[in-house]
Structures are given as C-alpha cells and as structure tokens.
Amino acid sequence: MSDRPFASNLNENDIPVPAVRRVGMVNWIGVWTLYEKEVRRFLKVITQTVFAPVVTSLLFLAIFTFALDRSIDIGDGLSYSEFLAPGLVVMAMMQNAFANTSSSIMISKIQGNIVDMLMPPLGPGELLAAFALGGITRGMIVGVSTVVTMSVVVGFHAAHWPVAIFFAVSASLAMALIGIAAGMWSEKFDHLSSVTNFVIQPLAFLSGTFYSIDRLPGIWNQIAHMNPFFYMIDGVRYGLIGWSDSDPLVGAAVLTVMNAVLMGLCYLLLKRGYKIKS
C-alpha cells in the first residue's frame, strides 16, 4: 500500500486504481482542507465579513467621540476616543469570530451538506481545530483591519503588543468555540439569533466597552468583574494603550480556564454528533 497521495496500484486486470492514503494520528491534510474552506468561505464575501465590521466600528467611534469626548474624563491623560477604540476593536473581533463558526455549522445543517464534513476521516478534535482556527482567523483579520483603520484618528501607544495579541487570540478563540456550540444547538436561524441578541450582545455591551467599570457602584462593579467579556476587552485595551481596570494576569487566567472548558464542551458535542448526526 503506497503512502504517496496520488499513487495508484494495479488490480488483477492491470487497471490502475487509486492508492489508499494512510492517515496518521492526526489528519493534517483534512484539518488544513477544512480550515482553508472556512477561510475561503468568508473571504469570498469580504465586503460583508471584513469591511462592514470595520465601517461599523468607525461609525461607533465617530458618534460616541463627537457626543461624549469632552464630557467624559477617563484620567491618566487619556481621551475618551483612546479609551473607546480598543473596546470597539474587540467587539468587532468577538462578533465575527462567533459568526464565522456558528453560521458555517448552521448553514451546513439547513442546506443538508453537513455530511460533507462528517464523512471524511476527521475526528472531533480535528473538526474542532479546523472550525476554531477559521473563527480565530476571521476575528484577527477584522481586528487588525480595525486597528489599522482607527490608528489614523486614534493614537494606539502599542504599550504591550504581546499582551494585546494574546488577549485578541484568546477572545477570538472563546467566541469561535461559543459559535460552534451555538451552531450545533440551533435548529434554525431564530435560535442562533436568540443567542446573539440575548447572550452575546448584552455581555459585550456590559463589558466596559463604553465606560470604565471602576465607575460602577457596589454590587454592579462586582457583577461586571464576573463578565468574561470584560477581561477580553480590558486585556486588549491594556495591550494597546497601557490602561486597564483589572490585573491582566487575572484576565489571562480567566480566559485560559474559560477556553479550556469551552474546548472540552465542544469536543464532547462533536464526538456525540449533537444535532448534526441522525
């Protein structure tokens, strides 16, 4: 049996037949193929998946800056636009990382071509890796595009780039994993919209994107610290402008544990074929 991908053997009638490909412990070619498919899927509609989020973030920045820049004092010599911009960057990344995985699974279920991902020799870990990396890629492309565009009008100090990259990747990974779980659970787009409208957006808007949570009184401040989205935004903000409401090490620990739990959950769902296998 040949290991060469395009080799062929001869049958008893001397007719060439395709050789069988051996798959090792990890089907790297399969993972890469599915990942490439996920990336090409959103790049084909790049105006909708990348340019539109950047424009939306710029509109948020312009509106809130014009309306509130002079009336809000963040402190430490920061303008409100400098404080706001990193939060908008992370919001765009989170929404798009979630949308990439959730929509991919949901559309495949509705169109009936989910079988095309289940029939190849791909295990649950390999499916998880390909989908998650696709979501991370879209989130990071949107994030980098938004940072580059906003840097024209907002001064990012680039205080701690490695920290910003870590939190950006961690946030994209978390949202991609949530998108996998949501896509598998949803049976129609109404279900997926309910997750977005009643879970993702409230947590994102109440995460300190538009205000410092240190200004929240008493129990509301404590509740805000229980929101994992807060640590995503606060960590990237610290990396980009050197300002944060919490210890970045605490945020890194929270996101690491959160991603580990989400990975385990998504792995189990994919292994069981939850709502994707008959």
Side-chain angles (χ1 to χ4, degrees):
M1 188 179 297
S2 175
D3 287 327
R4 293 175 297 170
F6 300 106
S8 61
N9 297 323
L10 299 178
N11 64 9
E12 58 185 8
N13 297 320
D14 293 333
I15 299 176
V17 295
V20 177
R21 184 195 298 275
R22 288 187 179 133
V23 178
M25 293 184 62
V26 179
N27 186 354
W28 296 108
I29 294 178
V31 172
W32 173 257
T33 302
L34 181 55
Y35 165 74
E36 188 177 20
K37 174 254 184 188
E38 289 296 295
V39 173
R40 288 188 176 187
R41 188 180 70 88
F42 75 79
L43 287 181
K44 282 188 176 181
V45 285
I46 193 171
T47 302
Q48 174 187 344
T49 56
V50 177
F51 296 156
V54 173
V55 172
T56 301
S57 298
L58 289 174
L59 289 174
F60 269 114
L61 180 66
I63 293 169
F64 278 90
T65 298
F66 291 151
L68 302 174
D69 196 25
R70 296 182 180 179
S71 60
I72 296 182
D73 181 20
I74 300 299
D76 295 334
L78 285 176
S79 66
Y80 182 63
S81 60
E82 289 175 311
F83 172 86
L84 176 63
L88 295 176
V89 170
V90 182
M91 280 188 61
M93 292 174 59
M94 291 191 303
Q95 291 171 354
N96 282 273
F98 172 84
N100 198 71
T101 52
S102 61
S103 64
S104 177
I105 295 175
M106 189 72 248
I107 291 173
S108 294
K109 288 168 65 175
I110 291 177
Q111 293 180 343
N113 57 20
I114 189 73
V115 67
D116 294 338
M117 290 179 284
L118 300 177
M119 288 185 64
L122 289 170
E126 293 159 338
L127 290 170
L128 176 61
F131 280 124
L133 287 172
I136 292 173
T137 301
R138 178 169 166 182
M140 292 301 294
I141 289 177
V142 171
V144 171
S145 301
T146 307
V147 168
V148 171
T149 307
M150 284 187 176
S151 63
V152 177
V153 293
V154 176
F156 292 114
H157 307 314
H160 310 282
W161 273 111
V163 176
I165 293 173
F166 169 80
F167 277 95
V169 173
S170 297
S172 297
L173 173 59
M175 298 308 299
L177 294 171
I178 294 173
I180 293 173
M184 295 182 69
W185 169 77
S186 301
E187 297 179 358
K188 51 185 178 180
F189 278 107
D190 286 348
H191 294 162
L192 199 57
S193 297
S194 67
V195 176
T196 302
N197 295 330
F198 299 113
V199 179
I200 304 300
Q201 287 188 353
L203 289 176
F205 278 98
L206 298 175
S207 60
T209 301
F210 304 100
Y211 54 86
S212 170
I213 66 168
D214 281 348
R215 297 172 180 262
L216 298 176
I219 190 173
W220 296 109
N221 184 279
Q222 298 174 13
I223 292 175
H225 278 88
M226 297 172 62
N227 182 357
F229 288 21
F230 158 69
Y231 296 102
M232 300 177 189
I233 292 173
D234 199 58
V236 174
R237 181 177 284 137
Y238 176 76
L240 291 179
I241 64 175
W243 193 96
S244 66
D245 278 324
S246 67
D247 186 346
L249 291 177
V250 174
V254 170
L255 291 184
T256 300
V257 173
M258 178 182 176
N259 282 331
V261 172
L262 288 172
M263 280 185 184
L265 173 63
C266 291
Y267 179 87
L268 291 176
L269 292 176
L270 287 168
K271 187 175 181 179
R272 290 180 54 191
Y274 179 70
K275 291 190 176 183
I276 59 174
K277 293 182 181 178
S278 57

